[in-house]
Amino acid sequence: MAEVSRDSEAAEKGPEGSSPEAVPGDATIPRVKLLDAIVDTFLQKLVADRRRPSGIPEKDLCSVMAPYFLKQQDTLCHQVRKQEAKNQELADAVLAGRRQVEELQQQVRALQQTWQALHREQRELLSVLRAPE
């Protein structure tokens, strides 16, 4: 019981050990704001210690950012390989299409030559048939 009353008395006293009533109204720091300030300071120190374990900002930045950049690099390399494979497939399809066009052109030329030959033969036949006897 005595400990509880001492703790409550200490909590009611301000940062310098004086009671809040002893300090003028505007100068008093409410306990909540004081507690918030203490918590914020603690959190800032905790975060600062986490972010800079070695105390050297450049080294700490590299230790934090390097894994991120390596992961990003791996992801980009994977995407590049995937895109290159897709591009190769498309290039193969284009080459296959060109070969098919060449084959069709050769077939057209062959049919054209066959048609021209038949046309010549037909003209010769007509000229023979029309020839005066």
Side-chain angles (χ1 to χ4, degrees):
M1 221 33 182
E3 290 178 25
V4 173
S5 64
R6 274 188 258 139
D7 289 341
S8 64
E9 287 175 6
E12 289 180 31
K13 292 186 178 182
E16 296 176 2
S18 61
S19 67
E21 290 82 13
V23 181
D26 289 339
T28 61
I29 300 175
R31 281 182 259 167
V32 174
K33 286 187 179 181
L34 180 62
L35 182 60
D36 285 344
I38 292 170
V39 168
D40 287 341
T41 304
F42 172 76
L43 289 175
Q44 287 173 356
K45 287 181 180 179
L46 181 65
V47 169
D49 290 342
R50 274 195 180 161
R51 288 189 185 166
R52 292 203 255 162
S54 71
I56 303 169
E58 294 83 13
K59 183 178 178 184
D60 297 332
L61 181 64
C62 288
S63 69
V64 170
M65 297 305 290
Y68 169 77
F69 286 131
L70 289 173
K71 183 177 179 182
Q72 188 176 24
Q73 182 183 16
D74 288 343
T75 302
L76 291 173
C77 287
H78 175 71
Q79 289 176 349
V80 166
R81 284 191 296 272
K82 191 175 172 181
Q83 188 65 44
E84 285 174 345
K86 186 177 179 181
N87 289 350
Q88 186 61 45
E89 289 176 14
L90 291 173
D92 292 342
V94 167
L95 291 175
R98 287 180 183 170
R99 281 191 295 271
Q100 187 178 9
V101 167
E102 287 175 6
E103 290 172 4
L104 289 173
Q105 286 176 340
Q106 289 175 356
Q107 289 176 0
V108 166
R109 278 189 229 115
L111 289 172
Q112 183 182 16
Q113 290 172 357
T114 304
W115 180 81
Q116 287 174 346
L118 285 174
H119 187 65
R120 266 186 252 120
E121 289 178 12
Q122 184 182 20
R123 273 202 237 151
E124 290 174 8
L125 184 61
L126 282 174
S127 68
V128 168
L129 291 176
R130 287 189 187 162
E133 292 182 23

